[in-house]
Amino acid sequence: MDPKAYQEYVENVTPKVNGWLSFFKAFVSGGVICVIGQILCDGFKSAGLMHTLANNYTTLILILASVLLTGFNLVGPITKFAGAGYLVPITGFANSVASCAIEFKREGQVFGIGSQIFNIAGSVILYGIVTSWFFGFIYWILTSIGLV
């Protein structure tokens, strides 16, 4: 297939996306997840838990909810609407770990789940650590020379 015909084919099969609508949906849906998290955290604090413990329980519940949604195959319809609004917060990270575990469970505990569970999440962890190290180093330099 020549490059021009291939390009036409790609344009025909690529879904048309309204960028501003996608941004709005992601903003609203991500905001809804954050509001749910804040309601949970405030509820735990009003029940008498310390701030740190309330934050930990909130995180655990959001992760559990995401893993359950992944297990019941409900994340697809949610992300079709919400896009990055669901995938960027901790819910997306939990989904990436759970979906790999579900996908590779038939290969066994060690060679399936154990070796493949961070297939998607591994790059997030790697680049998150590298980026935090990089910006921490810049902060250390700026602090050393007295700019911060």
Side-chain angles (χ1 to χ4, degrees), residues 13-91:
V13 297
T14 302
K16 308 299 183 246
V17 177
N18 182 341
W20 291 108
L21 182 61
S22 295
F23 294 149
F24 180 74
K25 286 179 180 180
F27 178 77
V28 170
S29 57
V32 167
I33 291 170
C34 292
V35 167
I36 291 169
Q38 191 63 54
I39 290 169
L40 287 169
C41 189
D42 290 346
F44 287 131
K45 287 180 189 175
S46 68
L49 293 178
M50 293 178 6
H51 178 75
T52 306
L53 199 53
N55 288 342
N56 292 343
Y57 282 156
T58 300
T59 302
L60 286 173
I61 288 175
L62 289 174
I63 289 171
L64 175 65
S66 181
V67 169
L68 289 174
L69 288 171
T70 301
F72 289 116
N73 205 22
L74 297 172
V75 173
I78 293 170
T79 56
K80 187 172 254 184
F81 172 79
Y86 181 83
L87 295 175
V88 170
I90 197 164
T91 51

Side-chain angles (χ1 to χ4, degrees), residues 83-148:
Y86 181 83
L87 295 175
V88 170
I90 197 164
T91 51
F93 185 78
N95 168 259
S96 71
V97 173
S99 62
C100 285
I102 291 168
E103 181 178 351
F104 292 101
K105 72 179 181 179
R106 67 184 174 281
E107 295 179 24
Q109 294 292 317
V110 175
F111 294 113
I113 295 172
S115 64
Q116 301 294 328
I117 196 164
F118 291 113
N119 223 9
I120 298 170
S123 60
V124 174
I125 295 169
L126 170 70
Y127 292 114
I129 290 171
V130 169
T131 303
S132 65
W133 183 88
F134 176 74
F135 284 113
F137 185 68
I138 290 174
Y139 179 75
W140 175 75
I141 290 173
L142 294 176
T143 304
S144 297
I145 60 176
L147 293 177
V148 177

